[in-house]
Amino acid sequence: MAEYKDPENTIVMETSKGRVVIELLPDLAPNHVARIKELSRENFYDGIVFHRVIDGFMAQTGDPTGTGMGSSDKPDLQAEFSNLNHVRGTCSMARSQNPNSANSQFFICFDEAPWLNKQYSVWGQVIEGMDVVDQIKRGEPVQDPDSITTMRVAADI
């Protein structure tokens, strides 16, 4: 297994396209990082599809229903907006119009998305596997979507 700078704050996401490694940012969004780790440790994300994937924008996942309307059974999170910009590889929480509605859904940016800055809670950055993210099948909704095979905290692997 690869060596990671901080395995407790690293996510290893195996997808139907390959491996993606995400560095978590607990100093930026401690509650969102804690939720991602908690759900990963419960195997919540295993088998969940990338239900909304927009070319040049982002790939969204984390909804157990695959519709974009579902979430975990845990309470929604208070927003943890920061000054970190949404750039290629940024991992950020999806939410409804209510800024305090993030739960389990998240997205990975394909490219810079400045209109999201200070509007969504950034919790991680892809450090390996953006070439894998780039291969995720596009669509709104995606027909025959790609999925997360497993998502784990590196310290647990």
Side-chain angles (χ1 to χ4, degrees), residues 18-108:
R19 174 176 288 179
V20 178
V21 180
I22 301 166
E23 179 181 0
L24 299 174
L25 304 170
D27 294 346
L28 210 58
N31 296 323
H32 289 75
V33 165
R35 173 65 56 86
I36 293 292
K37 288 166 57 172
E38 179 184 21
L39 292 173
S40 295
R41 286 184 160 132
E42 293 173 359
N43 302 341
F44 174 84
Y45 290 110
D46 296 6
I48 290 184
V49 301
F50 288 90
H51 65 273
R52 182 172 179 243
V53 185
I54 303 170
D55 199 40
F57 179 26
M58 58 89 215
Q60 187 169 332
T61 186
D63 172 7
T65 70
T67 65
M69 303 302 287
S71 65
S72 78
D73 58 5
K74 300 179 187 317
D76 289 347
L77 296 165
Q78 292 291 306
E80 293 177 306
F81 300 156
S82 68
N83 290 323
L84 195 66
N85 290 338
H86 286 75
V87 297
R88 179 169 168 77
T90 296
C91 301
S92 196
M93 292 303 273
R95 61 172 178 80
S96 70
Q97 289 184 329
N98 176 350
N100 301 313
S101 62
N103 186 295
S104 63
Q105 290 191 48
F106 66 90
F107 57 90
I108 302 171

Side-chain angles (χ1 to χ4, degrees), residues 8-22:
E8 186 57 38
N9 286 301
T10 304
I11 290 289
V12 178
M13 180 171 65
E14 297 289 350
T15 74
S16 49
K17 294 291 191 213
R19 174 176 288 179
V20 178
V21 180
I22 301 166

Side-chain angles (χ1 to χ4, degrees), residues 133-151:
V133 176
D134 288 338
Q135 296 173 45
I136 295 170
K137 194 181 298 177
R138 303 328 196 235
E140 273 188 281
V142 184
Q143 299 303 311
D144 189 28
D146 289 306
S147 63
I148 298 171
T149 309
T150 60
M151 189 160 143

